[in-house]
Amino acid sequence: MGVHRMTIPRLLLLRALLADPTTERYGLDLALQAGLEPGSVYPILVAFENAGWLESRVEDVDASAAGRPRRRYYRLTAEGVEAGRTALAEAARKRRPGTAGGELAW
């Protein structure tokens, strides 16, 4: 199952995930790296996970001892890495004229 529509926030989140595709990352960390509001990141993460592009797990930590809620960590699957790279390459091909070599135009 694929992700039907590649919006700018989805592309920004993919770029953040692909910066280090084998590392598990939590939502707030990804939001900060992508330059997005945390509330907009979580629905995208759910869509990517439902599409098979991400796998996730909840950390095994005592929330009281840590002084914060448990985090859900996300990591790209092999399918997600391939699909993400394809989506970013396609977006670069469609970029506005006059933008530098393959940079995202937003």
Side-chain angles (χ1 to χ4, degrees):
M1 177 178 184
V3 174
H4 298 291
R5 190 163 166 246
M6 268 306 134
T7 62
I8 292 170
R10 286 178 179 208
L11 291 166
L12 291 171
L13 187 56
L14 278 174
R15 186 169 60 178
L17 286 160
L18 285 166
D20 192 358
T22 61
T23 299
E24 290 183 319
R25 310 274 299 283
Y26 61 96
L28 180 58
D29 179 44
L30 288 164
L32 293 172
Q33 185 174 355
L36 298 169
E37 292 295 321
S40 66
V41 167
Y42 291 101
I44 298 169
L45 291 169
V46 169
F48 286 171
E49 189 169 17
N50 288 339
W53 292 12
L54 289 177
E55 57 189 15
S56 71
R57 69 172 181 87
V58 176
E59 74 178 329
D60 185 22
V61 66
D62 180 348
S64 297
R68 60 171 175 75
R70 295 184 312 161
R71 294 176 177 155
R72 178 172 292 279
Y73 284 90
Y74 300 88
R75 180 177 32 211
L76 285 166
T77 62
E79 178 184 351
V81 170
E82 182 180 334
R85 288 180 178 153
T86 300
L88 289 176
E90 181 65 22
R93 280 193 291 279
K94 292 180 179 179
R95 74 185 189 281
R96 291 184 300 220
T99 56
E103 292 292 318
L104 295 178
W106 347 279

